[in-house]
Amino acid sequence: MKFNDALIGAALIVFAGLILWHVRGFPPMPGQDFGPSLFPRLIAVALAACGTALVVAGWRSRRAGPVVELSDWLRMPRLFANFCLVIGGVLFYILLSERIGFLIVVPVVLGAWIMSLGTRWKIALPVAAVVTLLIHYVFYTVLRVPLPWGVLIDFAW
């Protein structure tokens, strides 16, 4: 997918505005001429300047091509479906992992992803389960990252 520079520049300007809006509430540091919002503000100003340069460059080259140009893979239904499945799987995890739990949500997502690549369910589901347990062990036990238990909280180890 190819976007005109003006669109990317506009997105950078909006992002810079959001940063500036967010840091306005940072408390000042007593006895200092500057506070914790100084560096985020400088970064936001730099992003806005880069965004402005991109908008100007994109506006000048607007006749060179379309504003948004789809890549060839987006025209292939199977590849587009796989792309949507990855985005959907990530959203599924974000929205449901706290309520349902890591050990239930992740095998479902991994199984769907593995099967979307053409693997039979008899292979995909055990692989998804083993990989989920391996990921859980590494992150929860070794790295001590708190993963959500959800409905399995009574069985947490």
Side-chain angles (χ1 to χ4, degrees):
M1 199 182 259
K2 184 178 178 182
F3 295 96
N4 185 300
D5 287 343
L7 289 177
I8 296 170
L12 281 177
I13 293 169
V14 168
F15 184 58
L18 290 173
I19 292 171
L20 290 172
W21 180 78
H22 180 71
V23 301
R24 68 181 166 72
F26 284 11
M29 292 182 64
Q32 296 284 339
D33 292 336
F34 56 89
S37 67
L38 174 66
F39 288 112
R41 285 178 194 245
L42 292 174
I43 291 170
V45 169
L47 281 174
C50 291
T52 303
L54 283 172
V55 167
V56 170
W59 183 258
R60 288 182 181 162
S61 68
R62 68 185 181 277
R63 292 191 179 105
V67 176
V68 176
E69 184 177 335
L70 297 178
S71 298
D72 291 337
W73 68 269
L74 281 171
R75 293 182 184 95
M76 297 177 191
R78 181 177 168 96
L79 295 178
F80 183 71
N82 285 347
F83 171 76
C84 291
L85 191 61
V86 169
I87 301 300
V90 171
L91 289 174
F92 183 75
Y93 179 81
I94 290 169
L95 296 174
L96 296 177
S97 66
E98 288 292 328
R99 280 183 263 161
I100 297 176
F102 180 87
L103 291 174
I104 297 174
V105 172
V106 171
V108 171
V109 172
L110 286 178
W113 288 348
I114 294 169
M115 287 190 298
S116 76
L117 297 173
T119 306
R120 293 186 319 264
W121 68 270
K122 290 180 180 181
I123 296 172
L125 297 183
V127 167
V130 168
V131 168
T132 299
L133 291 174
L134 180 65
I135 292 170
H136 189 273
Y137 174 75
V138 169
F139 281 90
Y140 189 78
T141 305
V142 176
L143 298 175
R144 302 207 182 270
V145 174
L147 297 173
W149 283 98
V151 297
L152 300 175
I153 191 67
D154 295 335
F155 303 102
W157 57 78

